[in-house]
């Protein structure tokens, strides 16, 4: 399906990509904590809203 060269390239690309993403995240960690403070509550609200929609759908269907 894939040649040996393609598999080697994919593995090296994956390792390089993950390494760069981790290093960039570590570099920007303090900035993210400052700018995105309290964003967890938006995520919790969104997930709660989706759950409420599924509950409403379940009760209206039955």
């Amino acid at each position: 399906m894939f040649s040996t060269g393609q598999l080697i390239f994919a593995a090296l690309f994956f390792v390089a990509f993950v390494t760069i993403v981790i290093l960039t995240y570590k570099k920007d960690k303090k900035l993210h904590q400052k700018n995105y403070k309290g964003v967890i509550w938006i995520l919790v609200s969104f997930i709660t809203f989706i759950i409420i929609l599924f509950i409403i759908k379940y009760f209206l269907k039955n």
Side-chain angles (χ1 to χ4, degrees):
M1 186 171 189
F2 292 110
S3 70
T4 306
Q6 289 174 322
L7 292 174
I8 292 171
F9 174 78
L12 292 175
F13 181 84
F14 178 76
V15 169
F17 181 79
V18 169
T19 303
I20 290 170
V21 168
I22 289 171
L23 292 175
T24 304
Y25 180 77
K26 283 184 179 182
K27 179 182 172 189
D28 292 340
K29 189 174 181 180
K30 289 183 182 180
L31 185 63
H32 288 278
Q33 288 175 346
K34 176 185 171 191
N35 290 335
Y36 299 112
K37 184 178 179 182
V39 77
I40 189 72
W41 295 112
I42 295 172
L43 176 65
V44 169
S45 301
F46 181 74
I47 291 172
T48 304
F49 177 72
I50 297 296
I51 290 170
I52 290 171
L53 285 177
F54 278 113
I55 290 171
I56 291 172
K57 180 182 175 184
Y58 175 76
F59 282 121
L60 289 178
K61 189 176 180 181
N62 291 337

